[in-house]
Amino acid sequence: MTVRVRFAPSPTGFLHVGGARTALFNWLYARGEGGVFLLRVEDTDRARSRPEHTQAILDGLDWLGLDLDEGPVFQAGGIDRHREDAYRLLEQGAAYRCFCTADELARRREEAKQAGSGYGYDGRCGRLDAATSGARAEAGEPFALRVRVPGEAIGWEDMIHGPMSFPAGSIDDFIVLRSDGTPVYNLAVVSDDAHARISHVVRGDDHISNTPKQILLYRALGAPLPAFGHVPLILGSDGKRLSKRHGAMSVLAYRDEGYLPEGMLNFLALLGWSPGDDRERFDVGGLVEAFSIDRVLRKSAVFDLDKLGWLNGRHIAASPPAVLAHPVIGILRAEAREAGLRLAETHPELEASADRLAAIIDLVKERPRTLPALARQVSPFFAASVRYEPDAVRRFWKRPAETAEHLRQLAARLAEEASFRDVETLEAEVRGVAARLGVGAGRVINPLRVALMGQAVSPGIFEVLGAMGRERVRARLEAAVRFLEVEAEAEAEAVTA
Ligand code: GLU
């Protein structure tokens, strides 16, 4: 039997984290089993479905690399088949015409509520004899079609939760075709899944209550029953159902924030699935190999933005520099444009040598968690000048006059070509300056980092010095000293004022 799975989003919003994870689990299962992955857009809610949402879902899947074998198919396109299936149920006696009006049903529900008892459809139209039912329909009385639910427990072996069962009497006869002729959700899903010969239905836990009804429909339609697997919910760190409040966004928003598709996929896979050992970083091939549905956890997964950042950082570090160069250039170009400048003005030579850019990316890629953060680390190696991050200034340039003096001393030592012979020499020079000043190495290294990078973090400072080269280091130190002198003067004035 070929594994045939589907992802069946409703195009009423963007592809969010939960949907993307459901898509991923289906895709991984299909790829691991040599099966078929199909996309069905459940667009029967005409009022809420939007073509731009369908497009966003397609773009999201595309960005993540979850390629389709079939589809997209549109549920609304199957409405005639859904109706035919509903009428087949009527013909076979699995469904009956229900003439109860919405008002009557509402009144009975209200009465049940007053009486403090639960409401369930009492099956009265199911007891009409065939002739009466037919005659009333014939006379033009509107009716819905309702499925006759047998008085027995309905269960299945869930791929994730194990044995599941709904006791007899917990489901009342339910509508499959409304009196206006529109098919009900559960019928459309079963009709479509049966038609597409879906072998495994893997979807969110929120559909568990639909499953017994769908199983009844499969049986009544005489269609082979697929296996069902219900993936636990994703919760925010506060234990509440995941929402925007927890920092969860549409999948494409993560792309725009500079996450890599590999990082996002890896993160999504670990939301509720575990390989059973302590491996965390997976590339796509590794996921396909390691994934198995029965290792999807039964308890809900917790969305942890910090973990996404960490994993994404691991993927950035593991990416070849040539792959990262393109987005880095794009980010710096966009920044230049925002400032009304060209990239050649803000970052001369960034595009001059692919090898040099690759070497710098290799040097800095260990720490950044997103592409913009990576670009921020690459930038100082090519920038015409650096902007000092206020936070770094506050932390490491607290005493401007003294820091200016330390940087002047460093500048003097680092003016020598010989200091740049290798990283060891650079280290000896910098430490030598600290020793002569009688301060710990950190007291010169941290301010030096701010001068070179404009920020408080960087790779090892001696490697940074070597990669920047003598000329750029000299210019950076001069600029920093000038900045600090102005600060020192302002401070002196403030004291005398
Ligand atoms: N359209 C449903 C949803 O977006 C999924 C239905 C299903 O997977 O059976 O939640």
Side-chain angles (χ1 to χ4, degrees):
M1 181 196 65
T2 327
V3 165
R4 293 178 59 86
V5 294
R6 83 315 193 261
F7 173 49
S10 310
T12 52
F14 299 108
L15 180 61
H16 51 82
V17 171
R21 187 205 41 179
T22 301
L24 173 63
F25 284 5
N26 276 287
W27 183 87
L28 286 172
Y29 189 54
R31 290 295 166 268
E33 301 288 328
V36 168
F37 175 61
L38 175 149
L39 175 67
R40 179 174 69 239
V41 179
E42 302 210 317
D43 57 345
T44 40
D45 183 345
R46 293 320 245 175
R48 291 173 61 222
S49 299
R50 297 257 150 68
E52 60 269 31
H53 290 145
T54 298
Q55 193 53 50
I57 290 166
L58 289 169
D59 291 346
L61 294 175
D62 188 51
W63 178 62
L64 290 170
L66 305 182
D67 56 328
L68 308 178
D69 302 305
E70 289 180 21
V73 295
F74 292 86
Q75 186 156 62
I79 189 159
D80 290 340
R81 177 171 27 77
H82 305 153
R83 275 196 202 113
E84 281 161 26
D85 282 343
Y87 274 95
R88 259 173 60 209
L89 295 173
L90 176 66
E91 278 153 31
Q92 289 158 6
Y96 56 84
R97 294 188 195 86
C98 175
F99 298 96
C100 299
T101 64
D103 285 350
E104 280 164 6
L105 294 172
R107 188 169 36 76
R108 281 181 230 150
R109 191 172 294 123
E110 189 52 35
E111 281 165 12
K113 205 168 129 196
Q114 298 296 332
S117 58
Y119 174 77
Y121 184 69
D122 58 10
R124 66 179 70 187
C125 289
R127 291 187 291 272
L128 293 175
D129 61 64
T132 314
S133 168
R136 285 173 72 173
E138 199 65 12
E141 194 175 335
F143 59 86
L145 294 183
R146 240 183 230 280
V147 163
R148 220 181 278 282
V149 175
E152 61 196 45
I154 305 163
W156 71 94
E157 182 68 28
D158 196 276
M159 288 190 279
I160 293 160
H161 294 274
M164 301 283 283
S165 181
F166 280 68
S170 59
I171 300 165
D172 46 331
D173 293 357
F174 59 94
I175 291 178
V176 284
L177 194 71
R178 298 185 190 89
S179 58
D180 65 1
T182 56
V184 157
Y185 172 72
N186 278 315
L187 175 71
V189 170
V190 170
S191 179
D192 289 351
D193 282 340
H195 183 68
R197 290 173 287 114
I198 296 301
S199 61
H200 296 74
V201 171
V202 177
R203 60 186 171 198
D205 254 2
D206 46 339
H207 287 282
I208 286 184
S209 62
N210 287 322
T211 302
K213 295 182 180 173
Q214 296 186 4
I215 289 175
L216 285 176
L217 292 175
Y218 277 100
R219 285 192 198 147
L221 289 168
L225 199 64
F228 291 93
H230 292 90
V231 183
L233 282 182
I234 305 175
L235 304 179
S237 46
D238 56 359
K240 304 243 169 67
R241 199 179 165 157
L242 186 63
S243 73
K244 287 204 188 80
R245 267 183 313 118
H246 303 104
M249 305 183 286
S250 106
V251 163
L252 291 178
Y254 291 99
R255 174 196 65 187
D256 299 343
E257 295 222 333
Y259 291 88
L260 298 176
E262 306 80 300
M264 194 70 204
L265 274 185
N266 194 160
F267 173 70
L268 290 171
L270 295 178
L271 274 176
W273 169 80
S274 137
D277 50 42
D278 53 12
R279 279 178 301 165
E280 293 214 277
R281 191 179 77 75
F282 288 89
D283 57 21
V284 182
L287 279 178
V288 170
E289 207 162 289
F291 185 78
S292 77
I293 283 272
D294 48 12
R295 294 216 61 92
V296 173
L297 310 171
R298 289 180 196 183
K299 62 174 172 36
S300 35
V302 176
F303 177 83
D304 178 354
L305 206 50
D306 194 54
K307 172 119 180 218
L308 169 61
W310 176 79
L311 266 175
N312 199 58
R314 298 332 315 135
H315 281 274
I316 288 179
S319 295
V323 171
L324 299 169
H326 182 70
V328 163
I329 292 173
I331 289 165
L332 295 178
R333 191 191 308 284
E335 276 176 16
R337 198 177 303 132
E338 235 162 77
L341 296 166
R342 284 178 302 115
L343 186 60
E345 293 170 291
T346 60
H347 294 82
E349 282 153 54
L350 179 71
E351 292 183 289
S353 158
D355 284 348
R356 172 152 165 76
L357 178 54
I360 298 300
I361 289 177
D362 240 346
L363 174 64
V364 303
K365 71 179 183 174
E366 196 53 42
R367 279 165 189 269
R369 293 178 155 209
T370 62
L371 292 170
L374 175 68
R376 222 164 22 250
Q377 287 277 295
V378 170
S379 171
F381 292 87
F382 299 92
S385 61
V386 293
R387 211 184 54 82
Y388 306 119
E389 288 181 2
D391 190 48
V393 170
R394 249 191 316 275
R395 275 176 68 195
F396 296 123
W397 284 2
K398 270 202 259 330
R399 285 179 288 274
E402 181 193 294
T403 306
E405 179 51 26
H406 290 178
L407 294 183
R408 264 188 233 106
Q409 302 271 339
L410 277 168
R413 290 305 312 169
L414 298 173
E416 309 288 332
E417 189 62 56
S419 306
F420 281 79
R421 192 176 333 136
D422 50 36
V423 170
E424 290 70 32
T425 313
L426 283 164
E427 173 161 7
E429 293 292 0
V430 173
R431 291 192 188 281
V433 169
R436 271 191 302 283
L437 288 166
V439 298
R443 284 277 297 283
V444 298
I445 288 172
N446 287 322
L448 173 61
R449 176 176 288 117
V450 180
L452 299 178
M453 301 285 294
Q455 26 191 325
V457 290
S458 77
I461 194 70
F462 311 117
E463 280 81 7
V464 168
L465 282 166
M468 278 199 178
R470 190 172 70 118
E471 269 315 299
R472 195 175 291 277
V473 167
R474 187 182 55 77
R476 284 287 142 81
L477 285 171
E478 276 174 13
V481 168
R482 275 197 304 277
F483 178 95
L484 286 161
E485 282 170 350
V486 172
E487 293 278 292
E489 252 168 58
E491 213 168 66
E493 271 167 31
V495 170
T496 49

